[in-house]
Amino acid sequence: MTSYHSEREFLDHYNSDEYGRVSVTADVLVFSVSNEEPDNYYPFKDMWCLPGGFVASDEHLDDCPKRILKNETNLTNIYLEQLYTFGHVNRDPRMRIVSTAYLSLVNKNLLSQSVSENSEWFNLGETQADGVTTITLTGSKTEFEFSVAKTAQDKNHFQYSYQITENKHLAFDHALVIAMGIDRLRNKIGYSDIVFHMMPQLFTLGELQQVYETILNKSLLTPSFRRIIANKVEKTEQIQKGKGHRPSVLFRYKSKNEQSTDF
Amino acid sequence: MTSYHSEREFLDHYNSDEYGRVSVTADVLVFSVSNEEPDNYYPFKDMWCLPGGFVASDEHLDDCPKRILKNETNLTNIYLEQLYTFGHVNRDPRMRIVSTAYLSLVNKNLLSQSVSENSEWFNLGETQADGVTTITLTGSKTEFEFSVAKTAQDKNHFQYSYQITENKHLAFDHALVIAMGIDRLRNKIGYSDIVFHMMPQLFTLGELQQVYETILNKSLLTPSFRRIIANKVEKTEQIQKGKGHRPSVLFRYKSKNEQSTDF
DNA sequence: CTAATAGTGTCTATTAGACAGTATGTT
DNA sequence: AACATACTGTCTAATAGACACTATTAG
């Protein structure tokens, strides 16, 4: 900790001009899981980028992604969490920008809402090989892919760094944002109730399991899965019929204060 | 995703002047565990703050905390990870600043190194009551405390927000930084090898357990503890004697590629 | 010998994985 | 009846908690 003994000394500390100008932006990555398209995300000149924009001087950093999302998708009141702040010197060739990326999750029913004319939802595919993740994005007219290597920064695997190994179509370091967003979601699904932001009010356990399987990119055993999510969900009186097989009970998310610790 | 169809449109997006000026700083929170002082961290006009400074326009955001740490403590090559980016409009009364906080871990042997004359190491104590964490900082001449409430932002406990409920001595939102840093360390110790950044090259398992107990703020059962860390550490030929009891074997950290997955 | 911490063995409780089985709709 | 998915029971494997026990030094 540091203390300041004089006004002069304190103000010196705040002479930012000598360091030159740095601008701040926020970028938003939106994920959703739907039936037709296994994984989605919401994404430069003739290139693509995640929606983003400059933080206004009278705007809370966390409000910036909300504003962007409202402008681009007309979605309000949706889940947002800070993902990471990127500050490479040359990440933007035009000017020095530090950008905070946000991860957003929406349920598939909200995907049908209009996005702005220059924007589009992309389908996301992922393959892994030798520590290199190749991500394929499929839009209505375009399809492109990029690769990101996740490498240990030191021999002890303390810190991982993400590096873009192949990318032709995504601006800035948005390939990193996407790769980190996938990892964050995949990790967090295991120790939080974050997944329910991607679910509608009522859902079947089969649907919920499919969302888990899509995100984790592997199949799960039903009995184990049901045990794990058992006290996060609650049966309703409603039933989903007409699917050519035994109908399934519709469940709703049970908020944490209702979840029992015993049985 | 968004695409840009014209140069004009793209550049419009980059007209940052209309939003006014926002500056970027980095703050560093340093933790260490030593015998004499259970937990340490490295910390305004007549108030205290974490060491911090403006990001230079030709400096990588991640390099800024390294520079600050070198200036303040002369420590180089130590563990740093990004903690969170704070962007409240009025977090600094003088000017609009967005600040990225970094968490740093050092082993106790490095604590003896000199810190700059205005800086000091503080001992950290923590008590919990009704979701409110009260943190006590004890320096060589001063002692003060502050309280932070960790509350669920929605009924579903999806998102937590940290709020300062009592604080007289810490500048900006540095009370939040400290509370979040503790939580991060406490969580991450369970699923990563991060703790070994706080250990010297050679250590006894008793010492390692004490570090865990200090960070987790609870006592652990020795056999269980040893099972958990068993394949993260490796016996050496060296033994620590002269402690008035059975001497203990000195261990070293075994990096991840050496850790066996079977037995 | 005592105090004090080092270090191990083992029983039990809890949780996760695996798979077989039953239930109930649509066509 | 055939099919397809919903849903449950239960054995087994792996892991975590608890506690008793032995080991080895300083003084």
Side-chain angles (χ1 to χ4, degrees):
Chain A
M1 291 248 252
T2 306
S3 69
Y4 293 94
H5 299 314
S6 73
E7 193 74 28
R8 173 85 235 119
E9 196 184 25
F10 186 84
L11 292 173
D12 279 353
H13 199 77
Y14 279 84
N15 181 9
S16 67
D17 291 322
E18 64 181 287
Y19 288 104
R21 179 141 192 188
V22 182
S23 296
V24 183
T25 64
D27 296 314
V28 191
L29 172 69
V30 185
F31 282 136
S32 188
V33 178
S34 71
N35 294 344
E36 312 85 52
E37 315 189 359
D39 211 2
N40 270 287
Y41 89 106
Y42 175 56
F44 216 95
K45 199 172 148 141
D46 253 40
M47 285 184 85
W48 290 84
C49 69
L50 296 167
F54 286 90
V55 175
S57 61
D58 59 347
E59 177 182 50
H60 189 307
L61 176 63
D62 291 344
D63 288 337
C64 187
K66 290 180 194 168
R67 172 171 55 83
I68 292 163
L69 223 43
K70 171 112 174 68
N71 282 347
E72 297 283 332
T73 64
N74 210 31
L75 292 171
T76 53
N77 224 281
I78 62 166
Y79 180 78
L80 271 168
E81 73 170 53
Q82 195 178 296
L83 183 58
Y84 198 77
T85 300
F86 295 84
H88 281 270
V89 175
N90 296 311
R91 60 180 293 279
D92 189 310
R94 275 151 295 261
M95 60 193 290
R96 180 64 202 284
I97 289 177
V98 166
S99 183
T100 301
Y102 284 81
L103 172 64
S104 178
L105 304 177
V106 299
N107 89 61
K108 59 176 178 162
N109 296 337
L110 298 173
L111 289 185
S112 51
Q113 288 198 242
S114 60
V115 290
S116 74
E117 49 172 315
N118 299 328
S119 298
E120 194 186 328
W121 294 99
F122 278 71
N123 187 4
L124 195 153
E126 190 206 33
T127 53
Q128 299 251 6
D130 305 322
V132 176
T133 304
T134 301
I135 293 164
T136 311
L137 295 175
T138 313
S140 60
K141 290 164 194 159
T142 24
E143 170 169 330
F144 52 87
E145 61 174 42
F146 57 90
S147 298
V148 175
K150 192 182 171 188
T151 48
Q153 272 194 316
D154 55 20
K155 73 173 173 64
N156 292 336
H157 295 246
F158 276 147
Q159 252 173 329
Y160 286 97
S161 75
Y162 293 78
Q163 279 167 310
I164 301 169
T165 56
E166 256 192 82
N167 174 39
K168 284 180 191 152
H169 300 277
L170 269 174
F172 314 121
D173 42 22
H174 288 176
L176 295 184
V177 177
I178 294 167
M180 284 185 66
I182 293 170
D183 280 0
R184 172 77 64 92
L185 178 57
R186 201 168 271 168
N187 277 317
K188 216 159 172 175
I189 200 179
Y191 65 86
S192 78
D193 292 0
I194 204 176
V195 69
F196 295 102
H197 280 294
M198 304 177 95
M199 302 304 295
Q201 208 72 48
L202 296 176
F203 50 85
T204 70
L205 296 186
E207 286 166 351
L208 183 60
Q209 187 172 344
Q210 267 176 53
V211 173
Y212 266 81
E213 290 178 340
T214 303
I215 292 168
L216 297 172
N217 203 21
K218 66 174 181 188
S219 61
L220 303 172
L221 293 168
T222 306
S224 304
F225 173 74
R226 294 195 173 211
R227 262 198 310 249
I228 288 161
I229 51 100
N231 63 345
K232 296 181 190 293
V233 297
E234 191 173 52
K235 249 184 193 160
T236 66
E237 301 296 311
Q238 295 175 65
I239 281 173
Q240 191 189 65
K241 285 193 179 187
K243 295 285 181 185
H245 53 78
R246 175 173 169 177
S248 42
V249 175
L250 285 164
F251 282 73
R252 70 169 193 86
Y253 172 60
K254 190 162 72 170
S255 68
K256 214 144 204 165
N257 25 28
E258 301 173 60
Q259 290 171 24
S260 65
T261 45
D262 50 53
F263 24 106
Chain B
M1 292 248 253
T2 306
S3 69
Y4 293 95
H5 299 316
S6 73
E7 192 75 29
R8 173 85 238 120
E9 195 184 24
F10 185 85
L11 292 173
D12 279 354
H13 198 77
Y14 279 84
N15 180 8
S16 67
D17 291 320
E18 63 182 288
Y19 288 104
R21 179 144 192 185
V22 182
S23 297
V24 182
T25 63
D27 296 314
V28 192
L29 170 69
V30 186
F31 283 135
S32 188
V33 178
S34 71
N35 293 344
E36 313 86 51
E37 314 188 0
D39 211 2
N40 270 286
Y41 92 104
Y42 175 55
F44 215 71
K45 194 170 155 156
D46 253 39
M47 285 183 83
W48 291 84
C49 70
L50 297 167
F54 286 90
V55 176
S57 60
D58 59 347
E59 177 183 51
H60 188 307
L61 176 63
D62 291 343
D63 288 336
C64 186
K66 290 182 195 168
R67 172 171 56 83
I68 291 163
L69 222 43
K70 170 111 176 70
N71 282 348
E72 296 283 331
T73 63
N74 212 30
L75 292 171
T76 53
N77 225 281
I78 62 165
Y79 180 78
L80 271 167
E81 74 170 54
Q82 196 178 295
L83 184 57
Y84 199 78
T85 300
F86 295 85
H88 281 269
V89 175
N90 296 312
R91 61 179 293 281
D92 188 309
R94 277 151 293 261
M95 62 193 287
R96 179 64 202 284
I97 289 177
V98 166
S99 183
T100 301
Y102 284 81
L103 171 64
S104 178
L105 303 177
V106 299
N107 90 61
K108 59 177 178 162
N109 296 337
L110 298 174
L111 290 183
S112 51
Q113 287 197 244
S114 59
V115 289
S116 75
E117 50 173 314
N118 297 329
S119 298
E120 195 186 328
W121 293 99
F122 280 70
N123 188 4
L124 194 153
E126 190 207 33
T127 54
Q128 299 250 7
D130 304 323
V132 176
T133 305
T134 301
I135 292 163
T136 311
L137 295 175
T138 313
S140 60
K141 290 164 192 161
T142 23
E143 171 170 329
F144 51 86
E145 62 174 41
F146 57 90
S147 298
V148 175
K150 190 182 171 187
T151 49
Q153 272 193 315
D154 55 21
K155 73 173 173 63
N156 293 336
H157 295 247
F158 277 148
Q159 251 175 330
Y160 287 98
S161 76
Y162 293 78
Q163 279 168 309
I164 302 169
T165 55
E166 256 194 82
N167 174 39
K168 285 180 188 150
H169 301 277
L170 268 175
F172 314 119
D173 42 21
H174 289 176
L176 294 184
V177 178
I178 295 167
M180 284 185 67
I182 294 170
D183 279 1
R184 172 76 65 92
L185 178 57
R186 201 168 271 167
N187 276 317
K188 216 159 172 175
I189 200 178
Y191 65 87
S192 78
D193 293 358
I194 205 176
V195 69
F196 295 102
H197 280 296
M198 305 178 95
M199 302 305 295
Q201 209 71 49
L202 296 177
F203 51 84
T204 70
L205 296 186
E207 287 165 351
L208 183 60
Q209 187 173 343
Q210 266 175 54
V211 172
Y212 267 81
E213 290 177 340
T214 303
I215 292 168
L216 296 173
N217 203 21
K218 67 176 181 187
S219 61
L220 302 172
L221 294 169
T222 306
S224 302
F225 173 73
R226 293 194 176 214
R227 262 199 309 248
I228 289 161
I229 52 99
N231 64 346
K232 295 181 190 294
V233 296
E234 191 172 52
K235 250 184 191 158
T236 67
E237 300 296 310
Q238 295 176 65
I239 281 172
Q240 190 190 64
K241 285 194 178 187
K243 295 283 180 183
H245 52 79
R246 175 173 169 178
S248 43
V249 175
L250 286 164
F251 282 73
R252 71 168 194 85
Y253 172 60
K254 191 162 69 170
S255 68
K256 214 145 207 165
N257 25 27
E258 300 174 64
Q259 290 171 24
S260 66
T261 45
D262 50 53
F263 18 108

